């Protein structure tokens, strides 16, 4: 027999350190999708969607839910804080009707238990000077329990009382000493009641999404995956140990939905026209002066999840991952970098590093070991630009902005297909 796969999956992935504006291209791509999926991370992610002029901040529910033809699924790869999910459903219900036909929560997704949040905080305290700067949402400890095979999954809420209590007892057995030595006390009763409350609040959304995904793949219906976190935060290929605990690069993003690579049609790398990072870890082009302050203020670089001011620096093309098979780039904040250029008289883009005495275009994996920060070598653009409000196409962009885009395409070898030129989703040029 011959197989007839129809690649129909569009993945939207952060290609740097998160907060690249994945929500913009996600809402754009989801507008004609059948399924929209979240597959990695948890409520460490944050993006804002706009619905009939209302700003809705979301951390777990795929933003694609605002389109009437979509079903959205929170897949196995996600770790879920059930109270955050419930609050989001309540918030969304003010605008649209969130029914179990529209939102499915995989029965295999793991639950962030109340103790995971305390463990996150305790572990950061133990890391002391080496702290990661996690979002303190219990993400890491929940994935740790998943790997230890003592996690509590959504389907466990439907166990008999006796069997659920046994699971909770096992999990608590691993953690109670460290919790208690930090003054945190949980018992199985309290956790059992927590679980029953969760079941009451979100139980009707829990199910096995496989048949729905399989049906869409067989029909070649468009599936959009809203990635979370980013390539440099990936557990395996990111800046370990200053990364998150899930695999959030393009492969991990597919894996979180159980979808095989033959189905990928488009893999969109989102990036900004400058770089930002929250938490610890290498950031070669980081600016500690007024240039960085200008980027932070003009780009509104404060966390949607934690409110933290983000570390800011020039665009770093060395840090763009080269082996992931990105098919398109969504470049955001082209307007912002133009204004920065106007104010400073220049814009810089990093095209190589000097590291350990050599010029290189490879992002080093051992900066934790050498303790040496790569020194960026820049291409400098004179001046900046302003993008007029009636600019609707690439051809209408200022020449200098086009040169900036050309440099990105030449170095990454990936076409810049979406360009963000303003704060609203409509301020997007599609090439
Ligand atoms: P979105 O989807 C930016 C970072 C944290 C920390 C590290 C580990 O909005 O782009 P964790 O709580 O995951 O254990 O923290 O990862 N981090 C993010 N930074 N945007 C995100 O998501 C992030 N999710 C995690 O700041 O350095
Ligand atoms: Mg974020």
């Amino acid at each position: 027999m011959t197989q007839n796969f129809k690649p129909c999956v569009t993945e939207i992935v952060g290609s740097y350190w998160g907060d690249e504006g994945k929500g913009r291209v996600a809402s754009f791509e989801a507008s004609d999708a059948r399924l929209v999926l979240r597959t990695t991370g948890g409520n460490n992610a944050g993006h804002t969607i706009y619905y009939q002029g209302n700003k809705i901040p979301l951390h777990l529910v795929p933003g694609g839910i605002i389109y009437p033809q979509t079903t959205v699924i929170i897949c196995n790869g996600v770790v879920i804080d059930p109270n955050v999910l419930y609050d989001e459903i309540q918030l969304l219900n003010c605008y649209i009707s969130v029914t179990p036909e529209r939102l499915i929560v995989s029965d295999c997704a793991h639950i962030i238990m109340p103790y995971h949040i305390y463990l996150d905080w305790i572990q950061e305290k133990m890391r002391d000077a080496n702290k990661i700067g996690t979002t303190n949402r219990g993400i890491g400890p929940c994935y740790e329990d998943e790997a230890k095979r003592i996690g509590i999954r959504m389907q466990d809420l439907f166990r008999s009382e006796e069997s659920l209590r046994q699971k909770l007892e096992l999990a608590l057995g691993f953690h109670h000493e460290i919790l208690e030595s930090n003054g945190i006390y949980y018992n199985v009763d309290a956790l059992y009641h927590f679980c029953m409350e969760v079941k009451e609040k979100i139980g009707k959304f829990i199910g096995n999404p496989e048949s729905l995904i399989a049906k869409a793949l067989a029909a070649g219906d468009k599936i959009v995956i809203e990635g979370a976190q980013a390539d440099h935060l990936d557990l395996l290929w990111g800046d370990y140990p200053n990364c998150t605990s899930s695999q959030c690069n393009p492969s991990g993003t597919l894996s979180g939905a159980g979808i095989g690579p033959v189905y990928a049609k488009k893999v969109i790398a989102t990036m900004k026209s400058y770089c930002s990072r929250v938490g610890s870890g290498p950031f070669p082009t980081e600016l500690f002066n007024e240039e960085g302050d200008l980027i932070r203020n003009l780009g509104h670089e404060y966390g949607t999840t934690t409110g933290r001011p983000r570390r800011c620096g020039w665009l770093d093309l060395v840090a763009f991952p080269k082996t992931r098979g990105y098919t398109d780039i969504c470049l955001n904040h082209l307007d912002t970098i133009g204004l920065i250029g106007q104010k400073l008289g220049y814009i810089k883009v990093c095209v190589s590093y000097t590291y350990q005495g050599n010029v290189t275009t490879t992002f080093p994996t051992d900066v934790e070991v050498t303790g040496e920060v790569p020194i960026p070598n820049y291409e400098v653009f004179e001046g900046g630009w302003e993008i007029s409000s009636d600019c609707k196409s690439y051809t209408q962009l200022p020449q200098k902005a086009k040169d900036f885009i050309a440099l990105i395409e030449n170095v990454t070898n990936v076409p810049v297909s979406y360009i963000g030129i303003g704060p609203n989703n409509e301020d997007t040029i599609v090439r």
Side-chain angles (χ1 to χ4, degrees):
M1 76 173 270
T2 50
Q3 283 179 307
N4 183 22
F5 296 115
K6 302 181 189 116
C8 57
V9 177
T10 295
E11 283 190 82
I12 295 150
V13 181
S15 53
Y16 283 82
W17 292 284
D19 308 319
E20 296 94 345
K22 296 179 278 291
R24 169 192 298 268
V25 64
S27 54
F28 192 86
E29 284 290 334
S31 63
D32 60 349
R34 170 69 193 96
L35 300 179
V36 184
L37 320 179
R38 254 300 290 279
T39 64
T40 63
N43 58 314
N44 47 351
H47 67 242
T48 307
I49 59 164
Y50 296 88
Y51 182 69
Q52 295 176 346
N54 301 292
K55 195 171 163 178
I56 312 175
L58 292 177
H59 301 282
L60 283 167
V61 178
I65 194 155
I66 60 172
Y67 300 105
Q69 85 289 350
T70 59
T71 298
V72 304
I73 306 174
I74 305 180
C75 295
N76 299 25
V78 180
V79 290
I80 300 173
D81 183 323
N83 287 319
V84 173
L85 176 59
Y86 180 70
D87 289 348
E88 272 181 23
I89 294 170
Q90 298 295 90
L91 177 66
L92 283 163
N93 268 328
C94 301
Y95 306 100
I96 53 172
S97 172
V98 183
T99 60
E101 287 71 46
R102 300 288 321 281
L103 167 68
I104 293 156
V105 176
S106 169
D107 61 344
C108 292
H110 282 245
I111 300 176
I112 297 180
M113 297 293 285
Y115 47 81
H116 289 138
I117 299 168
Y118 284 108
L119 289 168
D120 203 349
W121 171 74
I122 292 166
Q123 291 179 2
E124 277 289 84
K125 202 173 63 155
M126 289 169 76
R127 289 187 192 103
D128 196 22
N130 296 315
K131 74 174 171 16
I132 300 166
T134 73
T135 57
N136 261 314
R137 301 294 195 262
I139 308 294
C142 186
Y143 279 117
E144 283 168 41
D145 278 5
E146 177 173 348
K148 279 198 200 92
R149 281 136 301 164
I150 57 162
I152 309 296
R153 299 192 293 174
M154 287 293 170
Q155 59 180 254
D156 291 321
L157 304 175
F158 299 93
R159 283 174 182 269
S160 68
E161 175 168 351
E162 190 192 353
S163 143
L164 176 55
R165 280 178 181 271
Q166 274 170 10
K167 285 216 72 148
L168 293 168
E169 195 162 345
L170 175 69
L172 202 54
F174 276 80
H175 301 310
H176 78 96
E177 272 178 36
I178 186 161
L179 287 167
E180 287 173 14
S181 65
N182 284 276
I184 313 292
Y185 297 87
Y186 277 108
N187 57 40
V188 171
D189 265 347
L191 294 174
Y192 179 75
H193 288 296
F194 169 84
C195 288
M196 289 305 98
E197 227 178 270
V198 170
K199 185 177 172 185
E200 172 76 31
K201 283 176 163 176
I202 60 165
K204 64 177 178 189
F205 297 102
I206 300 169
N208 178 353
E210 191 188 357
S211 60
L212 203 61
I213 297 176
K215 198 170 145 207
L217 290 172
D221 290 342
K222 183 171 180 181
I223 299 178
V224 171
I225 304 185
E226 291 184 6
Q229 288 76 56
D231 222 305
H232 277 268
L233 296 173
D234 184 273
L235 179 64
L236 210 56
W237 295 100
D239 309 336
Y240 190 91
N242 293 297
C243 56
T244 191
S245 337
S246 67
Q247 278 190 262
C248 40
N249 72 16
S251 322
T253 298
L254 268 182
S255 165
I259 294 177
V262 288
Y263 291 109
K265 181 178 180 189
K266 252 182 172 180
V267 186
I268 303 172
T270 51
M271 61 195 270
K272 289 187 281 212
S273 302
Y274 52 83
C275 285
S276 77
R277 176 164 202 165
V278 279
S280 313
F283 184 178
T285 61
E286 181 170 13
L287 297 164
F288 300 94
N289 54 12
E290 61 282 1
E291 295 169 314
D293 295 338
L294 194 63
I295 295 177
R296 188 172 308 104
N297 291 331
L298 291 182
H300 308 290
E301 292 298 339
Y302 297 88
T304 39
T305 298
T306 58
R308 291 182 285 183
R310 296 178 183 142
R311 300 160 64 192
C312 292
W314 295 117
L315 177 59
D316 183 346
L317 293 178
V318 180
F320 186 85
K322 297 166 186 71
T323 62
R324 309 290 190 262
Y326 285 117
T327 61
D328 299 86
I329 285 174
C330 170
L331 178 70
N332 285 317
H333 282 287
L334 187 68
D335 53 329
T336 311
I337 200 72
L339 283 180
I340 290 164
Q342 283 188 327
K343 291 210 186 291
L344 293 175
Y346 55 87
I347 293 165
K348 294 184 184 178
V349 179
C350 171
V351 290
S352 68
Y353 300 146
T354 301
Y355 182 63
Q356 305 254 287
N358 298 311
V359 173
T360 175
T361 54
T362 301
F363 192 86
T365 53
D366 61 351
V367 292
E368 280 279 316
V369 177
T370 62
E372 200 179 311
V373 182
I375 300 163
N377 302 314
Y378 289 112
E379 194 130 316
V380 181
F381 290 80
E382 298 292 329
W385 53 79
E386 197 174 331
I387 299 174
S388 80
S389 54
D390 55 10
C391 176
K392 294 276 173 273
S393 70
Y394 172 79
T395 49
Q396 291 170 288
L397 285 173
Q399 186 55 44
K400 278 184 189 166
K402 288 182 188 164
D403 295 344
F404 181 83
I405 291 169
L407 176 67
I408 294 170
E409 292 187 327
N410 286 338
V411 175
T412 62
N413 209 19
V414 182
V416 174
S417 310
Y418 306 82
I419 306 164
I421 54 166
N424 303 311
N425 287 347
E426 305 82 70
D427 307 325
T428 307
I429 291 174
V430 183
R431 274 167 99 192

